[in-house]
Amino acid sequence: MESWGGLHSLRRGKARPLAVIFYALWGFVAVSVACASSPSSSSLSSKQKLQVQKHLRRLNKPALKSIKSPDGDVIDCVHISDQPAFDHPFLKDHKIQMRPNYHPEGLFDENNVSTEGKRRRNPVTQLWHLSGKCPENTIPIRRTDKDDVLRASSVKRYGRKQHRTIPQPKSADPGLINQGGHQHAIAYVDGGKYYGAKATINVWEPKIERPNEFSLSQLWILGGTFGEDLNSIEAGWQVSPELYGDNNTRLFSYWTSDAYQATGCYNLLCSGFIQINNEIAMGASISPVSAYRNSQYDISILVWKDPNEGHWWMQFGDDYVLGYWPSFLFSYLGDSASMIEWGGEVVNTEPSGEHTSTQMGSGHFPEEGFGKASYFRNLQVVDSSNNLRAPKEIGTFTELSGCYDVQTGSNADWGHYFYYGGPGRNPKCA
Ligand SMILES: *[C@@H]1O[C@H](CO)[C@@H](O)[C@H](O)[C@H]1NC(C)=O
Ligand SMILES: *[C@@H]1O[C@H](CO)[C@@H](O)[C@H](O)[C@H]1NC(C)=O
């Protein structure tokens, strides 16, 4: 726990698998148009319009049924074998795996509770369910429209993180940390081999000051070296006006195998994640969200590595196994993760030269506690024997604790937990 060296010492000298390099190139040639920042469609040249249309045709697969959600989204029910993952040249002959070989078990095992009991306790679901269901053998995909793509700084960047920095606890170089204005309040474990992680995450709808900022709460499964060849699998909830065009809280996932450079994306916005579930849509709004001094809602997220095939699976709540990231997408994570992080991240663009007032979590500091501050509870990691365990020696990290902070604790009900977040700009954070 002393130094950040743990991660570096786990680096292996061998070259990255060909698959990863090939994928990076393929990702680059797939989309190469850049448009001016947020142009209206009328200001686009016909060449640019054509590029946007081509990109939309690539993303939006033929739907067997389309569902109009109350939040304005259109959810397309796409045949499971037509999903974006199968555009990947390495997945042309992939035999889709309809269920994991193993499911990690252990602490806080909720599999014993009856389905009725589970649904009563955990009523968080997705808004589009009010308008319909996707048939069997399809998966629900949030449709991307022209405006979604045009809000991105370029067609190429749509669905990908801006060259972001990564929460890098205990870095020797603080300059690295705050690059690009990304700020974090996180808990983490490192120095071991991890085969997954789980947490139950309080759900809020933080206020975002500027459309190109965001606020998210997630877990990270990490391997490799920050800024160079980091492998990361991420999942949680986010509010991102730029990505979705509104301020709704949405379920999301992200992956990269090269430190956010050429590979990876949010949700199903590139080929990678293979979805098997017909009830939960990546990028769709989750509802209800918690209110200050009022009802609290939380979601459980579990990501784990199937010991047989090596794929990384994701589960939402107790009932929904969403699908998997095939092992070949990754280099380090082809083996195991060397670090797990849980917590919040916001982008601070310093509007008008001051710290942003974009909120993290509930927008309140950890000291306020339950019903007021946002939390992660029942933090767990998956060990090499595929069991869920309490993490040992949890560290915490935040760049500016006067803006966003984190406080850990543990008890019998919540296991290891923490409260995190804050309001951004305030007298302690200017
Ligand atoms: C769940 O059921 C299994 C098998 O019946 C049992 O061994 C385990 O202790 C139970 N877990 C909990 C949390 O009750
Ligand atoms: C999102 O919230 C900001 C303020 O936090 C507001 O100015 C903006 O109009 C909202 N956007 C939408 C699409 O509701």
Side-chain angles (χ1 to χ4, degrees), residues 105-113:
E105 266 150 42
L107 291 172
F108 314 106
D109 191 351
E110 282 153 358
N111 291 323
N112 295 9
V113 184

Side-chain angles (χ1 to χ4, degrees), residues 278-351:
N278 68 344
E279 295 180 276
I280 299 295
M282 295 284 199
S285 304
I286 44 188
S287 166
V289 298
S290 306
Y292 191 72
R293 291 181 190 274
N294 211 320
S295 303
Q296 298 300 301
Y297 297 94
D298 54 30
I299 55 171
S300 292
I301 302 238
L302 166 64
V303 174
W304 79 101
K305 191 173 174 66
D306 181 327
N308 267 17
E309 315 277 339
H311 305 327
W312 288 89
W313 286 80
M314 174 176 168
Q315 176 173 312
F316 173 74
D318 298 327
D319 301 322
Y320 306 109
V321 174
L322 298 192
Y324 58 96
W325 289 271
S327 182
F328 80 84
L329 293 175
F330 304 103
S331 48
Y332 300 101
L333 292 181
D335 176 36
S336 60
S338 50
M339 183 173 197
I340 306 289
E341 298 177 350
W342 300 265
E345 175 179 343
V346 303
V347 175
N348 167 31
T349 61
E350 295 196 12

Side-chain angles (χ1 to χ4, degrees), residues 248-277:
N248 291 353
T249 302
R250 292 161 178 280
L251 175 73
F252 82 97
S253 65
Y254 198 90
W255 69 274
T256 178
S257 60
D258 63 352
Y260 310 95
Q261 297 171 63
T263 60
C265 60
Y266 284 107
N267 306 327
L268 302 183
L269 294 173
C270 62
S271 302
F273 189 78
I274 297 175
Q275 182 156 340
I276 58 164
N277 182 285

